Amino acid sequence: MQIITMRPHEERRVKEGHLWVNKSDLSHTLEVAPGTLVRVSTSDGASLGTGFYNPLSKIAVRLLACEEEDAGTDFFVKRIRQAQELRERVLPNEEGYRVVYGEADLLSGLIVDRYGSYLVIQMLSAGMDVRKPHIIEALRIVFPSVLGIIEKNTSQTRTREGLELVDGVVWGSVPDRVTFTENGLRLEIDIATGQKTGYFLDQKINRKAVALLAKGRTMLDCFCNVGGFALNAAAQGASLAHGIDSSALAVEAAQRNAEINGLTHCTFEKANVFDLLRDHVSQERTWDIVVLDPPSFAKHRGALRGALAGYAELNRTALKLLQPGGILVTSSCTQPVTEHDLMDIVYRESARVRRRLRLIHRGAQAPDHPVLLAMTETQYLKFLVFEVIA
Ligand code: SAH
């Protein structure tokens, strides 16, 4: 196996458990095909483990956290089985969950989501992409009852690895619409046209927590996608749950999900949340609960300022729709925004609009999205619930 050596002063992060070796941290490059398994060594010759090398990517090596020599089907069976065992313990009896969350499952660049009898895979690195046949074979071994596997390799991050965007069924058959249950609800999603792998699994536990607060209350679910928060709230006895999303496809799917579950007091509307919140303020409308679950506002630290301004506006406007006793559910999936940043924004904006808040719940990404401590990149979801007390 070819060896690639790190520069003397760049090794600490990797020694402490980070799985990415940046191109700029290497003392030389190798002329090998993207995805080739290489051994990474310190400047004085000690091995830092093996990993997938991609000369085209800024993340030159993605380490496997072991001395793997082959990285074939057996390797993937072992790692995917370990990942599945964790999910069985933390989210028993779930039909929709993330089986493999990349780095946090020591499979950098691989995502596998399960929706009942179907698996959705995403390869975000060349090392994973070239091993697609092994990954599919391993998934069939670990999940013998699965009926179909679909790849949704349409994330723009693939272009940074020199990979094309592709999607489609890679094994078995997968229907256009797939159903699964979440917190007792029957959800129907369209994997091919839906966002991400079809559903935002990371908010599963948070939806449950908020639904418990919704009995007898009205909820405005902003950025609802296929209806997650609104449907859960309506099922738990909300008097009215209304979801807003700018995607027509998402709103149609949300409406179908309300029908499937017989939730007539759960409605959806296609709109831009920023505009709609302003309209509701000028119409002096009020809601008992406002949920804010916007998409990521910044992919890197350079865009942080703009992201913080976006959160400030959203939270300020939402607070204006709440009276004492009302609840603000606010979330951020922007990785560089910390929980402290979000808390600070809500504090400042609440002072501006004269609402006194108390924090009654805080959450994070569900445990099928574990956090690898050595890689802050794996921690992204912040989730805060405030009650307006005066
Ligand atoms: N709350 C959802 C997940 C939200 S993901 C759940 O529980 O599953 C973010 C959503 O915001 C996406 O569905 C996207 O279509 C939508 N979106 C992005 N910008 C928007 C905007 N300005 N107004 C309304 N929706 C928007």
Side-chain angles (χ1 to χ4, degrees), residues 182 195-196 198-204 207 221-230 232 244-248 250-251 269-275 291-297 314 333:
E182 178 186 78
Q195 298 176 40
K196 295 276 169 93
Y199 191 57
F200 291 81
L201 293 163
D202 51 3
Q203 292 279 26
K204 181 191 293 292
R207 291 188 194 105
D221 177 7
C222 301
F223 310 95
C224 66
N225 194 252
V226 301
F229 281 97
N232 272 276
I244 311 294
D245 202 282
S246 56
S247 155
V251 168
E269 176 183 353
K270 177 181 175 303
N272 180 327
V273 165
F274 288 87
D275 297 341
V291 177
L292 300 176
D293 183 20
S296 174
F297 285 159
L314 268 181
C333 62

Side-chain angles (χ1 to χ4, degrees), residues 267-296:
T267 54
F268 295 95
E269 176 183 353
K270 177 181 175 303
N272 180 327
V273 165
F274 288 87
D275 297 341
L276 180 125
L277 289 178
R278 274 194 295 267
D279 290 350
H280 282 207
V281 170
S282 59
Q283 294 157 11
E284 295 184 13
R285 288 188 66 166
T286 59
W287 292 90
D288 296 328
I289 302 175
V290 178
V291 177
L292 300 176
D293 183 20
S296 174

